[in-house]
Amino acid sequence: MRGIVGSLNPGKVQPVRDVFAVLYPELEVRGAAVPSGVPDQPIGVGETRRGAVNRARRAARLDGATWGVGLEGGVRVERGQGWLFGVVAAVRAGDGLLLCTRTAELPIPPAALPRVLAGEELGRVMDDILGTRDLKRGVGTVGALTGGLVTRPAVWAQALSLALAPALHPALYSGQPNGR
């Protein structure tokens, strides 16, 4: 039994491993390089959700998968302000059950937004602005901007835990749309 994360980024694989270690301790969790089908920096909720779902479905089709998980970071813009958020999608390989949630949102510094909207990935922009290296593989922009109080892996773990609630309590969610 295996949980496969549609990414090789340790900042995404480890939180999935942590959640599944508690909920499904028999699962081995590993990452796999699968395409998201969206730009490196998705803009908007729809594009970000599409990337997460694509990653989860592709990971769920890999050999030995019990669960496929996709985590996609996106940027939402409203009235000139940008917010960083993520979408988590989990697909149960056996029956195709699709579960999705969004993370909390973080305001993006105004200096970063034009570069992101011009096509640059937020992690690279923030590395440039903050003088860091490979922020997205560690605490992430959220960790850097909250003084480490909230980290990228913690945000992903929370969202995955919330997404899995219907799988943990199917009788409570029977008859509800599951996003298929």
Side-chain angles (χ1 to χ4, degrees), residues 67 88-90 97-102 157-168 173:
W67 283 96
V88 172
L97 175 68
L98 170 63
L99 304 169
C100 288
T101 57
R102 283 177 45 187
Q158 181 188 48
L160 176 59
S161 299
L162 296 171
L164 291 172
L168 297 172
Y173 291 89

Side-chain angles (χ1 to χ4, degrees), residues 97 166 170-180:
L97 175 68
L172 297 176
Y173 291 89
S174 63
Q176 296 295 313
N178 65 11
R180 279 190 210 195

